[in-house]
Amino acid sequence: MGTQHQIARSIRALSADYVLALKRNHPTLWEQVKQWFETAVANEARGS
């Protein structure tokens, strides 16, 4: 199986939705994503 990068590129090429796992052993990225979701929730962001 390919890397997550390759899989994500293939899915995006089809304009499909996707979710990839983010492991906590990437602390900077983990914190950025956590902060993004906290901000979205605080601003009552809704998916379309």
Side-chain angles (χ1 to χ4, degrees):
M1 179 141 262
T3 66
Q4 283 188 346
H5 295 279
Q6 293 167 327
I7 294 168
R9 259 189 229 109
S10 298
I11 294 169
R12 290 184 68 199
L14 298 172
S15 298
D17 296 327
Y18 64 99
V19 175
L20 296 174
L22 173 61
K23 292 171 66 175
R24 202 168 189 164
N25 64 346
H26 297 279
T28 303
L29 181 57
W30 173 270
E31 194 56 41
Q32 289 172 339
V33 171
K34 181 178 167 221
Q35 199 65 150
W36 185 90
F37 276 102
E38 289 172 351
T39 301
V41 168
N43 292 323
E44 298 181 7
R46 302 277 188 262
S48 53

